[in-house]
Amino acid sequence: MSMRATRRAARSRRRRIGLTGGAVLALVAVGVLVHLVTASPSGPGTDAGRAAATPAADARTAVPAPTPSASVAASASAPTSPSATAAASTAAAAAARPSVTGTGRPAPATAALAGRIRPRTRYRGVATSYDAGDGDGACLYGPADDLMVAAMNTTDYESARACGAYVLVRASGGASVTVRIVNECPLPCVPGQLDLSTQAFAKLADLSAGRIPITWELVSPPTVGTLSVRYKTGSSRYWCAIQVIGHRNPVARLETRTASGWRRLPRADYNYFLAEDGGGCGGAIRITDIYGEQLTVDGIALRPDAVQATRVQFAAH
């Protein structure tokens, strides 16, 4: 080998040794660093480092459900006697579900449409009285000739689902009266409570009694006329609100027919079904009661604040 070749081989060997040495030094440095990190005591800096490296916890933390307003009302409005405390506890439990006494007859499969007030179920509560005036109320049916009416407590009123229901009320002495729900009884009315018109209360007890224990249940009266439909004031083909009047059984759903099919409308707590964008306003209407029966009504003109009679009515149960 020539002198020149020998020198090139030596230089090449020195470069490989240099690279190998550098790699070794780097590995040693990494090892020392790992040892230091492992051996160092835990502290704020270490926790912060772990927190930065750990994925954040799911932000959808479960929050306890708020206490139903009716439960609060029952506790807040009760007197401070032992019997009142027990009554408040009972009312608070009823906020989740009305207190019921079974009648021995099974509820139909469609009872889910009924909400809180179910067919063939007897409820316990108290009756009070109020001056019903012309018979109008929160359900906005308008004046009534028959003042055998009542206001349902807010919990069982259930955002107007109780509107129009016929309820048979019995006093402990055996007297009874059938009333129609046309109004809402706000706090301090508790679940199970009915605020009867003075005329209806007088059928059960002397008005001076003020407050009496009762049982009550949903009924489907045999003698009623046909139902009617009304569009709310301000309704048009761009926005409308629809109300059903004179129905034998509580209304569970109302739908309007649109180009794409039947559309279920939400119910406002003032007892109108709303089509916020006007979909189906002025067209055919399909009404379903809590027993699942459906009635289709066509030819109802879009005339605001006009009660328009139909030729149909739900079956008696």
Side-chain angles (χ1 to χ4, degrees), residues 250-273:
V251 172
R253 296 175 181 167
L254 186 144
E255 302 162 280
T256 55
R257 187 158 57 200
T258 66
S260 58
W262 289 105
R263 175 193 184 190
R264 183 178 173 181
L265 302 185
R267 189 178 202 162
D269 61 2
Y270 51 87
N271 196 33
Y272 275 86
F273 293 86

